[in-house]
């Protein structure tokens, strides 16, 4: 539950180009659950490809503060994730035990990635089931499918969707348990961007109509 407000607040500070509080809230968000850093890494990638919301002169160089933060977030989050599952969690008697929920693809992260790349048919058969299509409808219908119009910012949804759609564990795509928490910040952020896109589209066609 803590991940949702922390991640949304971190994103807000990146939009305000306030990098220190953004970094603080990202670290707090990363501490909430073991897969949080995957969503945070996707935020880093998103910051790399989004246009800067700051002064226009920042875009004259590739290495804007936003992009520096983005690549830093991606690298640090990836390192933290590896350290967590390889060192920290095993040291306290835990580990990334739920990898067995993706057993149809393999028994390790590397095997899963290889199977997905080599066997796209299995990937499609796993995702496009009746239960998972209902799950997607349940996720996006309440916010009028606005994230579908959000453009590149929709990358924020990719880790959570893959995590819940690639598994055969039914509770994970039931829509009523904690498994959606990694998705919720991205859904609301993308909804806002989706509204903005539609408003621009309506404004454009409105001006053409008036002409």
């Amino acid at each position: 539950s803590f991940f949702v407000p922390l991640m949304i607040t971190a994103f807000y500070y990146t939009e305000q180009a306030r990098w220190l509080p953004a970094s603080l809230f990202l670290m707090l968000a990363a501490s909430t659950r073991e897969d949080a850093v995957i969503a945070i890494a996707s935020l880093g990638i998103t910051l790399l490809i989004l246009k800067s919301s700051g002064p226009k002169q920042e875009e004259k160089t590739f290495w804007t503060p936003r992009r520096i933060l983005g690549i830093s977030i991606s690298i640090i989050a990836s390192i933290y994730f590896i350290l967590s599952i390889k060192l920290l969690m095993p040291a306290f008697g835990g580990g990334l035990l739920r990898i067995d929920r993706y057993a149809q693809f393999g028994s390790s992260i590397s095997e899963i990635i290889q199977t997905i790349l080599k066997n796209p048919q299995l990937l499609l058969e796993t995702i496009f089931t009746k239960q998972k299509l209902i799950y997607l409808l349940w996720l996006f219908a309440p916010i009028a499918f606005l994230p579908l119009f959000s453009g590149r910012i929709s990358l924020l949804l990719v880790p959570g969707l893959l995590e819940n759609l690639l598994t055969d564990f039914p509770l994970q795509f039931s829509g009523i348990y904690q498994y959606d928490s990694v998705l919720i910040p991205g859904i609301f952020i993308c909804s806002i961007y989706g509204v903005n896109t539609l408003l621009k589209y309506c404004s454009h066609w409105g001006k053409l109509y008036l002409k």
Side-chain angles (χ1 to χ4, degrees):
S1 300
F2 289 111
F3 175 75
V4 176
L6 291 172
M7 188 67 174
I8 291 176
T9 305
F11 184 84
Y12 167 78
Y13 281 124
T14 64
E15 284 293 282
Q16 298 296 311
R18 298 175 62 183
W19 313 123
L20 184 59
S23 301
L24 172 62
F25 277 94
L26 284 172
M27 286 189 288
L28 291 172
S31 70
T32 57
R33 48 184 292 167
E34 69 272 17
D35 58 350
V37 290
I38 302 176
I40 291 169
S42 74
L43 172 59
I45 296 171
T46 303
L47 292 177
L48 277 171
I49 64 174
L50 282 181
K51 291 183 179 180
S52 175
S53 58
K56 289 185 178 180
Q57 59 266 28
E58 283 190 0
E59 289 299 321
K60 292 180 180 179
T61 175
F62 178 82
W63 293 109
T64 61
R66 173 189 287 265
R67 290 193 174 112
I68 291 172
L69 179 67
I71 197 167
S72 299
I73 289 171
S74 301
I75 293 172
I76 294 172
S78 300
I79 293 172
Y80 178 71
F81 178 70
I82 293 170
L83 289 176
S84 294
I85 63 175
K86 295 293 185 181
L87 297 176
L88 298 179
M89 286 191 282
F92 290 93
L96 198 64
L97 300 178
R98 297 295 81 190
I99 201 75
D100 62 302
R101 292 178 182 172
Y102 307 90
Q104 75 274 24
F105 295 107
S107 58
S108 67
I109 294 177
S110 60
E111 284 184 14
I112 291 172
I113 294 173
Q114 289 177 24
T115 303
I116 289 173
L117 294 175
K118 294 178 180 179
N119 192 351
Q121 182 178 348
L122 177 59
L123 174 66
L124 295 176
E125 291 174 353
T126 302
I127 293 177
F128 292 101
T129 65
K130 179 181 178 181
Q131 293 82 1
K132 290 176 182 176
L133 291 176
I134 292 173
Y135 168 67
L136 290 173
L137 184 66
W138 184 93
L139 275 180
F140 294 113
I143 33 86
F145 299 96
L146 288 169
L148 302 182
F149 303 97
S150 60
R152 288 177 287 184
I153 197 73
S154 60
L155 278 173
L156 293 175
L157 301 174
V158 172
L161 287 175
L162 289 178
E163 188 175 357
N164 291 343
L165 293 176
L166 294 183
T167 181
D168 285 332
F169 182 60
L171 298 185
Q172 206 161 322
F173 48 89
S174 65
I176 58 175
Y177 292 99
Q178 75 274 14
Y179 305 106
D180 293 327
S181 63
V182 75
L183 270 169
I184 292 172
I187 286 176
F188 283 107
I189 291 168
C190 290
S191 296
I192 294 170
Y193 272 78
V195 169
N196 188 49
T197 299
L198 291 177
L199 287 175
K200 289 180 178 178
Y201 180 82
C202 292
S203 175
H204 172 73
W205 283 103
K207 290 177 181 178
L208 290 178
Y209 176 77
L210 290 174
K211 288 180 180 180

